[in-house]
Amino acid sequence: MIQVRALTKSIDTGTHRVDILKGIDLEIPKGQFAAIMGPSGSGKSTLLGLLAGLDSPTTGQVLLDGEDITHLTEDEMATLRGRKIGFVFQSYHLIPTLTAEENVLLPMELAGRSDLGRARELLDRVGLKDRFDHHPVQLSGGEQQRVALARAFALKPPILLADEPTGNLDSATGGVVLDLLRAMNREQGATMVLVTHEKALADSADRCIVMHDGLVVSQ
Amino acid sequence: MTQLPWSTSARIAWRELRAARTRFVFVILAVAVGVGSLTGVRGFSHSFRRMLLREARTLMAGDMTARVFALPDAQQLQVLHELEQQGIVRTWITETVTMASSASTPDPLLISVKAVDPKAYPFYGVVKLNPPKPLREALDAQSVVVSDDLLIRLKVKVGDKLHIGGQDYAIAGVVVSEPDRMTGSLNVGPRVMITREGLDRTGLITVGSRAAERYLFRLPATGGPSIETVRAILKAAFPEATIADYQETHPIITRGLDRATTFLSLIGLIALVIGAMGVGSAMHGHLQQKLDSIAVMKCIGARSEQIIRIYTVQTLMLGLSGGLLGAVIGVAVAAAFPGMIAKYFSIDARNAWDAWPAVQGIAISCLVTLLFTLPPLWSIRTIRPAEIFRRDSGPQTPQSRKWSLLIRGAILLGTALVAATLTEGSMLDALRTGVIFAVGLGIGLTLLVLAAWLFLRSLRGALRKAPKNLPGAIRYGMSNLYRPGNQAQAAVVALGVGVMFTLTVFLVQQALVNQIRGSAPRGMPNVFLLDIPGPQRQAVADLIQAQPGVTSAPEVAFSVAAKIVSIDGAPIDQFAVGDAGRRFLRTRSVTEMAAKPPETDILKGSWWKAGDPTPQVCAAEETAQVLKLHPGAVIEWNIWNHTVRTRVACVERTESVRMTARFEFLFSPGQLANFPSVFYGSARVRPPDVPGVQRVVYEKFPTVTVVNIADVMQIVEDVVQRIAMVIRFISAFTILAGAVMVASSIAGTRFRRMREVVILKTIGATRQSIAWIFTVEFLALGTVAGLMGSLLAAAFTALILKRLLEIEFHVDWVAHVGTVGIAALVAAGAGWAASFRVLGRKPLEILREE
């Protein structure tokens, strides 16, 4: 379960202060697929980043399965992410100097559970059986995002967070990626939170959280 | 918390290195250069030391040797006789200098004479002659064997006559090799070997004569006293003697070798530090490019400690690769040394390398590269995952000042420890050298960084103010020095260090050589007369005075060998400490003077009154400082086994060109008259007239040695040149390391450079015009480094010459301008080596990689 209590986030740009999140309260039960929608600048990506512990809130709390992650150190958060959270970025963010296989293997190696067989199985699952030893520069955008999906599922995380995973893809490719995402998540049974602009995708979610101007306006 | 196994870290690190091959190839090379010079020096030194031990008996020509500074007295002779009774065979070698001439050249030549007993000498090894024959057959009382340079200098050949000390000797052969050449006296001229009887015929050696006496001993193979026992007996009988045995390397050679090894090792370490700085700089650039990857790794569960471990392993891989390559280079470096010192030492180049220093060099390479990579590695902790989401999330958390200072401290401490391990000698010496080296390096690098920053900033300012019609290639090329990610400052410092070092050695060497060659200061004697027979001293002085070209009346002085026993009742050991004081444990040359010489200034106390019978001495200023003497102190002397007590009357300072300035103690009259004494003199003669004076004195007084200081200076100059050549050889590695750092820094900006090439080609630039732009950039980098290194070299040279050597400093414009030019060319070469492939690629190839 993901719980958010009175969460705010502000940043100081030097000349003025920007309030990105102005007080979010939220609960996402275990196993639920929640979509977060809203116009650009509404704070969707920031909220997702805070749920993953990639940033620190200004005030408020984020609890994952009852554990308050807000005051964990960077290293404690990294360990938690390795154990509990799979993350898919809009811009894929693969390691450019590693092959597809090595990118998927990396989180397992960091967690001390190196398993080449699983890495290959995941790549096969996302349709990249012939791309194991390709570097990101040798892959198309859609292929890179599929590698990123495989990486996100490498450690069978109980929570999957995806930040506009099809934002940089054409609609056809994006459709393929989304189908894979949903299928793999059904297989794993993870709690999924997905930031998206696409209404169709949001409609297919168990729940749609709409944000506007740093606040949740409906859920 | 799950640990990331080292094997996994290594695997991830290796994957990363694969993609950054070009950048890291240069870094590995920079490290290898430093390790190569270090392992080469130390490998040669270890090998040389092993050879000295292995060949000790041959090099010594005996089991033991005792070098004494006077003929043995009766008691000492008795001790030697008792040793003989115990089966210890002894032979005696006398080495001195004198004049020799031949029928082919009227001008006499200064030679080194070595008198031996050919039936006994050498106990080990063989004196090889040409034509080949045993020494005992070649030498008798009427013959000599000579070095080949004597044949050339005196225009003689085997079979001709050599004239020494008024006697003729047949040249029986040429000495091809001599086993104890290394452990003998320093040669001031061509060498002549003669029998004892032959030497006696010359009349050169009398009581008090200045000659080096050396005893060689051969112990019985079985039974008989041990080496340690014999050593103790000899030490007790000859307290001033230098005693060595075959179980240890010769102390004189060992001390010199230790100092040379330490000095050259530290220069090698500087080259390695430059390489390590290159690794640190490259790693910093590498991590800057990896910010996103590191942030992603943190997003997917990597802790800072795990990421640091990965990049630490990467650093160690670089250090190890550089170390291994450096060990191979070290083989070539070690093999170069025998050729450089062949004139003085004969070493087989095949045996010039030793494995242990290579292992040591590789370990040091890993440690030093790790040290200098600490700052960028530690900065990994400050990279936040939120970097991924927002570039404007604010600056990275800066490193705390405390950690920054701790890391710098660790680098200095680590470098000090490494320098200490490279220092030969006691632990205290090693630690002291290590600290001085590290602090000096820290200060030096800080100064260099500041200077580089100033130069580059000034250049930028000048560029801004430059006229608008400055050619585009020049403007663009120089502005590339400030390209984001360009590590121009680090590259300038690295190359500048090498330039500064090598130029400083060159300038100091030139100043020394010019000093040696240049005309002596006004009034300074340039001719010295040795072994003047006492009764003939006036005749010798009158003869010289009458010769053309003699510009000042010859000064003749006498000296007596005297030894200090105690000062104010305390034994001399308590005062004779350190390098400056140790010499007072040995016999000193002292003289008498009735009246105070006009050029002598009394600093403390007062000169003795005429007719005052009290035994008194006046001590030279430096001597008084070392021995802590003051007027009123009582010095007890042993002069030819007689006890003489003198009161210190004064402390004086004499202008150094005077003969009296040579004496540490001037006695009041009447104390030394009854002791054996040696007379010698000096004169100032116009240089072209010196050979004439030598000839005339030699004809009338053949036992008097007339030394033309110019000849001695020539030998000194030769030694200085060779030492400087060795130092320059090693310090050239610092330039090489700097050049490789330049290449590495340029390789680091390869991607940005490629993008620029694409844009330039797209807007119509030809490869030639792009090549000009790059060339201007590289030349500018090298010129700045050359200017900076050259200026600092001038400053350090001036400091060394004025403070340490008391020589005037003059700017050598040719050397400085030449250095700047060479540095510019070196940088251009290095830059093109790192980027020549960039020009040839098609624009779309590069854009696709984006």
Side-chain angles (χ1 to χ4, degrees):
Chain A
M1 172 184 284
I2 301 171
Q3 291 165 289
V4 176
R5 292 185 188 145
L7 200 68
T8 68
K9 176 69 182 176
S10 306
I11 57 164
D12 212 320
T13 63
T15 49
H16 56 278
R17 190 183 161 91
V18 177
D19 296 321
I20 303 173
L21 298 177
K22 294 172 183 169
I24 308 281
D25 286 278
L26 206 51
E27 255 188 42
I28 302 172
K30 185 176 162 135
Q32 189 175 77
F33 170 16
I36 303 178
M37 288 192 74
S40 194
S42 57
K44 308 183 296 294
S45 296
T46 304
L47 174 60
L48 204 72
L50 289 171
L51 294 184
L54 298 177
D55 205 348
S56 313
T58 308
T59 61
Q61 283 180 304
V62 175
L63 293 99
L64 300 181
D65 291 337
E67 187 183 353
D68 183 358
I69 68 168
T70 328
H71 299 295
L72 293 181
T73 63
E74 282 286 348
D75 281 350
E76 286 166 341
M77 242 352 283
T79 308
L80 188 78
R81 279 194 292 275
R83 259 188 11 240
K84 284 199 165 174
I85 302 171
F87 207 107
V88 182
F89 298 94
Q90 182 176 351
S91 303
Y92 339 128
H93 285 305
L94 298 178
I95 308 289
T97 51
L98 304 181
T99 62
E101 179 178 81
E102 287 163 353
N103 265 285
V104 176
L105 195 56
L106 188 57
M108 291 190 264
E109 283 174 328
L110 292 169
R113 292 188 255 157
S114 187
D115 186 345
L116 187 61
R118 173 148 175 85
R120 287 182 172 172
E121 183 194 308
L122 283 165
L123 282 172
D124 189 14
R125 179 71 184 82
V126 300
L128 293 175
K129 196 167 66 169
D130 299 326
R131 297 280 193 268
F132 289 166
D133 57 352
H134 281 53
H135 283 87
V137 71
Q138 295 169 302
L139 302 171
S140 67
E143 287 170 339
Q144 288 188 57
Q145 193 61 299
R146 283 189 268 164
V147 174
L149 277 186
R151 182 180 67 187
F153 281 105
L155 290 170
K156 298 183 187 170
I159 298 170
L160 188 83
L161 306 174
D163 184 11
E164 300 201 53
T166 59
N168 284 3
L169 304 173
D170 62 83
S171 53
T173 314
V176 169
V177 166
L178 280 174
D179 288 341
L180 269 172
L181 183 60
R182 280 193 296 229
M184 287 172 81
N185 195 49
R186 266 198 305 275
E187 288 160 21
Q188 307 272 14
T191 306
M192 184 155 80
V193 183
L194 187 141
V195 167
T196 183
H197 274 125
E198 294 177 37
K199 192 154 185 338
L201 178 59
D203 289 343
S204 72
D206 298 333
R207 174 183 174 190
C208 183
I209 300 164
V210 179
M211 289 185 67
H212 183 78
D213 202 19
L215 290 165
V216 171
V217 296
S218 71
Q219 48 175 312
Chain B
M1 227 186 264
T2 314
Q3 289 287 354
L4 185 69
W6 286 104
S7 56
T8 308
S9 305
R11 207 166 44 240
I12 299 171
W14 173 246
R15 287 178 207 150
E16 286 249 319
L17 273 179
R18 269 184 340 214
R21 263 196 304 263
T22 314
R23 156 185 271 160
F24 287 123
V25 156
F26 288 106
V27 162
I28 289 169
L29 203 52
V31 171
V33 162
V35 173
S37 63
L38 191 61
T39 57
V41 164
R42 298 185 73 73
F44 172 74
S45 171
H46 273 236
S47 172
F48 188 41
R49 211 180 295 263
R50 265 207 334 262
M51 186 272 298
L52 288 177
L53 272 172
R54 194 176 57 235
E55 307 288 331
R57 275 184 164 126
T58 307
L59 291 173
M60 208 172 275
D63 290 319
M64 287 187 80
T65 173
R67 181 186 296 275
V68 298
F69 300 95
L71 290 173
D73 57 31
Q75 255 179 313
Q76 290 167 331
L77 281 171
Q78 179 58 29
V79 168
L80 292 173
H81 180 66
E82 282 163 12
L83 286 174
E84 223 169 56
Q85 308 258 291
Q86 295 181 64
I88 294 166
V89 183
R90 172 180 93 248
T91 189
W92 177 21
I93 297 174
T94 299
E95 287 170 304
T96 188
V97 295
T98 190
M99 310 298 286
S101 68
S102 69
S104 315
T105 50
D107 294 334
L109 180 69
L110 185 67
I111 59 167
S112 296
V113 172
K114 178 175 177 180
V116 301
D117 174 3
K119 294 189 186 59
Y121 167 88
F123 287 137
Y124 300 97
V126 167
V127 176
K128 287 194 187 133
L129 300 177
N130 185 18
K133 69 164 76 155
L135 188 68
R136 76 182 88 83
E137 284 176 26
L139 275 189
D140 58 34
Q142 320 291 330
S143 64
V144 293
V145 291
V146 303
S147 57
D148 56 3
D149 51 341
L150 182 137
L151 300 182
I152 298 165
R153 300 276 298 270
L154 287 180
K155 300 187 179 64
V156 288
K157 55 185 185 308
V158 173
D160 288 348
K161 292 269 189 245
L162 193 64
H163 198 70
I164 305 175
Q167 305 294 323
D168 283 334
Y169 299 85
I171 299 174
V174 175
V175 177
V176 173
S177 70
E178 203 178 319
D180 58 339
R181 168 86 191 270
M182 246 193 275
T183 53
S185 298
L186 180 69
N187 297 310
V188 292
R191 296 171 62 69
V192 171
M193 208 180 291
I194 195 171
T195 62
R196 289 232 73 82
E197 295 76 25
L199 183 65
D200 290 341
R201 278 178 60 215
T202 65
L204 288 175
I205 307 295
T206 56
V207 171
S209 280
R210 188 201 38 78
E213 309 287 350
R214 190 155 48 100
Y215 290 102
L216 298 185
F217 299 93
R218 190 179 64 207
L219 274 62
T222 52
S226 66
I227 287 256
E228 291 74 23
T229 307
V230 175
R231 181 189 268 272
I233 293 170
L234 287 172
K235 198 67 195 166
F238 298 90
E240 290 182 18
T242 304
I243 299 172
D245 66 63
Y246 74 90
Q247 291 175 136
E248 58 178 15
T249 52
H250 198 287
I252 294 172
I253 296 177
T254 306
R255 250 200 315 273
L257 184 63
D258 282 351
R259 284 186 183 146
T261 303
T262 299
F263 181 62
L264 294 174
S265 294
L266 292 178
I267 298 177
L269 181 59
I270 291 175
L272 179 55
V273 163
I274 292 173
M277 280 164 55
V279 174
S281 173
M283 191 55 77
H284 173 75
H286 182 56
L287 290 176
Q288 285 298 304
Q289 289 182 352
K290 292 281 168 215
L291 277 181
D292 277 0
S293 296
I294 292 172
V296 166
M297 282 166 76
K298 286 193 175 186
C299 286
I300 62 174
R303 297 189 302 280
S304 295
E305 162 252 313
Q306 291 177 314
I307 301 173
I308 290 175
R309 189 181 276 223
I310 291 166
Y311 287 101
T312 301
V313 170
Q314 223 173 59
T315 303
L316 284 173
M317 284 176 177
L318 294 173
L320 188 62
S321 308
L324 286 169
L325 181 60
V328 171
I329 293 173
V331 173
V333 172
F337 278 104
M340 283 193 274
I341 59 172
K343 191 169 174 177
Y344 306 106
F345 302 105
S346 170
I347 311 226
D348 188 346
R350 284 170 304 175
N351 298 322
W353 189 78
D354 190 294
W356 167 239
V359 170
Q360 201 185 23
I362 292 168
I364 290 173
S365 160
C366 292
L367 176 62
V368 174
T369 49
L370 201 56
L371 278 174
F372 281 84
T373 321
L374 274 178
L377 286 178
W378 203 247
S379 73
I380 287 172
R381 293 166 69 250
T382 65
I383 298 171
R384 291 173 5 217
E387 297 288 325
I388 294 291
F389 290 98
R390 249 193 331 273
R391 291 288 168 209
D392 61 353
S393 63
Q396 284 180 359
T397 316
Q399 289 217 53
S400 77
R401 198 171 161 72
K402 182 186 92 176
W403 278 112
S404 203
L405 283 171
L406 272 172
I407 287 171
R408 284 194 169 85
I411 293 173
L412 265 182
L413 182 65
T415 310
L417 284 172
V418 170
T421 62
L422 295 176
T423 304
E424 309 287 332
S426 69
M427 174 103 69
L428 197 59
D429 281 340
L431 284 172
R432 192 170 51 226
T433 303
V435 167
I436 291 171
F437 178 83
V439 170
L441 189 68
I443 292 172
L445 285 176
T446 306
L447 280 174
L448 280 162
V449 165
L450 280 171
W453 177 84
L454 199 63
F455 266 99
L456 287 169
R457 212 173 152 80
S458 308
L459 186 64
R460 193 176 204 173
L463 202 55
R464 284 199 185 117
K465 291 188 174 70
K468 296 292 177 212
N469 59 359
L470 193 68
I474 293 178
R475 182 182 289 281
Y476 193 172
M478 284 169 63
S479 68
N480 277 346
L481 289 176
Y482 310 98
R483 175 192 289 115
N486 198 345
Q487 287 156 356
Q489 188 169 312
V492 162
V493 168
L495 188 57
V497 165
V499 166
M500 179 193 76
F501 214 81
T502 310
L503 185 59
T504 302
V505 170
F506 175 77
L507 292 174
V508 169
Q509 176 217 338
Q510 285 299 100
L512 272 174
V513 166
N514 288 338
Q515 176 84 342
I516 289 165
R517 283 184 195 158
S519 50
R522 252 180 120 64
M524 174 96 171
N526 62 338
V527 167
F528 287 91
L529 310 152
L530 308 173
D531 298 321
I532 302 173
Q536 295 172 323
R537 60 188 185 276
Q538 193 56 53
V540 168
D542 291 342
L543 178 64
I544 291 172
Q545 176 84 69
Q547 300 311 307
V550 176
T551 58
S552 69
E555 263 188 86
V556 176
F558 79 96
S559 77
V560 170
K563 192 163 177 299
I564 300 177
V565 174
S566 66
I567 299 174
D568 283 337
I572 184 63
D573 318 65
Q574 291 180 17
F575 299 88
V577 290
D579 284 337
R582 241 198 305 270
R583 69 183 194 272
F584 293 104
L585 293 171
R586 298 196 298 270
T587 304
R588 316 307 302 154
S589 293
V590 299
T591 192
E592 264 180 15
M593 208 140 285
K596 181 184 84 67
E599 60 278 349
T600 296
D601 294 323
I602 301 298
L603 302 177
K604 287 183 193 167
S606 58
W607 196 262
W608 37 84
K609 293 185 174 44
D612 184 348
T614 320
Q616 297 170 81
V617 291
C618 199
E621 182 184 14
E622 193 255 344
T623 302
Q625 271 167 8
V626 170
L627 297 179
K628 298 181 184 35
L629 293 174
H630 52 86
V634 175
I635 304 177
E636 185 178 311
W637 300 85
N638 178 338
I639 306 179
W640 288 91
N641 289 324
H642 288 82
T643 300
V644 176
R645 278 190 193 82
T646 58
R647 185 181 67 82
V648 174
C650 52
V651 175
E652 56 87 8
R653 181 196 297 148
T654 302
E655 186 192 323
S656 62
V657 300
R658 311 301 300 172
M659 284 265 290
T660 42
R662 283 199 58 249
F663 293 99
E664 293 149 338
F665 293 96
L666 302 172
F667 278 57
S668 55
Q671 302 182 66
L672 304 176
N674 298 325
F675 296 114
S677 54
V678 172
F679 286 85
Y680 52 90
S682 64
R684 174 99 190 118
V685 181
R686 276 204 313 265
D689 295 314
V690 169
V693 169
Q694 283 180 310
R695 197 176 335 133
V696 163
V697 172
Y698 181 68
E699 279 166 11
K700 281 215 104 136
F701 302 101
T703 60
V704 175
T705 305
V706 184
V707 179
N708 181 358
I709 210 67
D711 291 340
V712 177
M713 291 295 114
Q714 183 59 50
I715 293 166
V716 173
E717 180 183 325
D718 188 51
V719 171
V720 165
Q721 302 260 36
R722 275 180 196 271
I723 292 171
M725 179 176 70
V726 171
I727 298 173
R728 277 208 310 275
F729 173 63
I730 293 299
S731 68
F733 281 89
T734 61
I735 293 187
L736 191 55
V740 176
M741 254 281 282
V742 167
S744 163
S745 140
I746 286 164
T749 55
R750 198 164 61 99
F751 291 116
R752 283 202 169 99
R753 212 174 281 272
M754 287 197 299
R755 260 186 242 127
E756 277 170 35
V757 167
V758 165
I759 295 165
L760 288 168
K761 281 186 175 180
T762 309
I763 61 172
T766 61
R767 287 202 304 177
Q768 188 182 26
S769 46
I770 298 171
W772 267 119
I773 291 166
F774 282 0
T775 304
V776 166
E777 180 189 343
F778 304 150
L779 286 175
L781 194 72
T783 304
V784 170
L787 269 172
M788 191 186 76
S790 174
L791 272 171
L792 288 171
F796 280 122
T797 304
L799 195 66
I800 291 169
L801 290 181
K802 275 189 101 68
R803 284 297 175 100
L804 296 180
L805 301 173
E806 293 178 8
I807 298 176
E808 272 301 310
F809 169 70
H810 301 284
V811 176
D812 184 342
W813 291 108
V814 172
H816 286 287
V817 170
T819 297
V820 173
I822 291 170
L825 289 173
V826 165
W832 275 113
S835 49
F836 70 92
R837 277 201 286 205
V838 165
L839 279 190
R841 300 187 65 185
K842 298 261 184 290
L844 209 51
E845 271 181 55
I846 296 166
L847 288 171
R848 203 175 290 131
E849 282 174 15
E850 297 262 306

